[in-house]
Amino acid sequence: MTPVAPALISPRRAVPDAIARPEYVDKPGPERFTGSEVKDADTIERIRIAARLAAQARELVGSHVQPGVTTDELDRVGHEFLCDHGAYPSTLGYKGFPKSLCTSVNEVICHGIPDARVIEDGDIVNIDITAFINGVHGDTNATFLAGDVDEETRLLVERTHEALMRGIAAVKPGRRLNVIGRVIESYAKRFGYGVVRDFTGHGIGTAFHSGLIVPHYDAPMYDDEIQVGMTFTIEPMLNLGTHEWVMWDDGWTVVTRDGRRSAQFEHTLLVTQSGAEILTHP
């Protein structure tokens, strides 16, 4: 299997002037979020709209994942869908990120930049896409199979999705956030998978990343109380080998240190009286 390598990145895609931009676009970074992690009813309804739109984009782009297609083409599909629905692609211009979604192929853990690389038979491709509309973000990702994927990789993808769903099921008001990572890591360890530690879930709403951290491993220090009305993401990254990673010179693309494959899934969630509602369903 040939390692993933950087390829040509096309010029930045335009967003219609009528679409509102997040405050951070083309700045060194976002303003620090100082609001509450517990959202009011109006904000929740707006997040619901953004999250559903992001989920629709995720599924549309995912349907185009097949051998012979470039990851840049996937970016075009997602970009046009969000713009056509009045949403801004949250990653575009975030801390300088040049594209409207992330495409992480095979051993790329996260933050892969769409480029001219052609998807090959047997690849797996994570599509991470976020919609900004009505002043809030909805964030989601999923790993899609291209062509005939080997059994070991297919099982990694299935089990990573299962790890996400187990993490979501652990969300209950009054519990601590670290219960999520404890459940995910416990499941992943059954199969000897590496659980990525340095990239986490996060609070979301008017801020793309609010400062609330949701680790996917057993991390006792992250003991914020889960409260009704919180909105955050869970997005485990599981690797066939080590959890350790290296970053490409582009400052974004994160790959497994041992070159083995990685899968990821993500939902934006709302904490309810009884658990967690998944907002990123199409």
Side-chain angles (χ1 to χ4, degrees):
M1 183 179 61
T2 307
V4 176
L8 185 69
I9 297 174
S10 67
R12 179 165 165 167
R13 292 189 161 85
V15 176
D17 291 340
I19 294 176
R21 274 82 168 144
E23 53 80 20
Y24 55 72
V25 172
D26 293 329
K27 296 178 181 175
E31 295 172 3
R32 186 169 174 273
F33 178 73
T34 56
S36 173
E37 297 294 347
V38 175
K39 310 302 192 293
D40 60 37
D42 171 68
T43 304
I44 289 169
E45 287 313 303
R46 287 185 286 137
I47 296 171
R48 201 182 288 283
I49 291 167
R52 186 180 303 122
L53 203 53
Q56 291 168 350
R58 177 195 70 217
E59 293 307 301
L60 175 64
V61 176
S63 72
H64 286 76
V65 171
Q66 53 189 321
V69 173
T70 65
T71 54
D72 186 65
E73 171 66 8
L74 301 178
D75 182 77
R76 183 194 65 78
V77 171
H79 178 92
E80 292 182 359
F81 177 86
L82 290 182
C83 291
D84 287 349
H85 289 80
Y88 186 91
S90 299
T91 61
L92 188 63
Y94 177 79
K95 296 184 177 178
F97 193 82
K99 290 292 173 182
S100 299
L101 50 81
C102 300
T103 49
S104 300
V105 179
N106 297 344
E107 72 270 22
V108 180
I109 295 172
C110 59
H111 304 158
I113 300 173
D115 60 20
R117 183 190 183 277
V118 175
I119 295 168
E120 299 174 0
D121 185 57
D123 281 351
I124 56 172
V125 185
N126 181 272
I127 303 299
D128 193 339
I129 190 162
T130 308
F132 177 79
I133 190 169
N134 300 324
V136 298
H137 302 265
D139 188 8
T140 185
N141 76 54
T143 300
F144 296 91
L145 311 181
D148 185 18
V149 175
D150 68 84
E151 178 77 354
E152 182 182 47
T153 302
R154 190 181 60 75
L155 285 173
L156 172 71
V157 173
E158 284 182 11
R159 289 164 177 167
T160 304
H161 182 262
E162 175 66 15
L164 168 64
M165 300 312 292
R166 287 174 182 236
I168 292 171
V171 175
K172 297 284 189 294
R175 287 183 173 178
R176 300 291 165 176
L177 268 178
N178 51 34
V179 70
I180 298 166
R182 199 153 55 243
V183 166
I184 289 171
E185 186 171 52
S186 166
Y187 176 71
K189 277 186 170 176
R190 290 192 204 173
F191 312 104
Y193 296 153
V195 181
V196 174
R197 294 172 166 239
D198 298 318
F199 302 92
T200 67
H202 52 88
I204 190 168
T206 56
F208 191 176
H209 303 92
S210 71
L212 184 74
I213 294 173
V214 185
H216 306 114
Y217 65 102
D218 187 2
M221 69 288 284
Y222 294 101
D223 61 353
D224 300 77
E225 182 181 345
I226 298 172
Q227 301 175 58
V228 174
M230 277 183 164
T231 50
F232 54 80
T233 73
I234 303 176
E235 45 186 299
M237 291 144 266
L238 303 187
N239 303 344
L240 284 176
T242 180
H243 70 275
E244 295 178 347
W245 54 273
V246 292
M247 186 179 285
W248 284 2
D249 291 343
D250 61 23
W252 285 104
T253 307
V254 176
V255 299
T256 57
R257 183 175 288 279
D258 58 8
R260 301 193 72 194
R261 290 183 166 189
S262 179
Q264 183 185 16
F265 286 86
E266 173 186 17
H267 278 308
T268 292
L269 308 168
L270 166 67
V271 180
T272 66
Q273 296 284 353
S274 59
E277 178 186 351
I278 296 173
L279 301 183
T280 37
H281 276 325

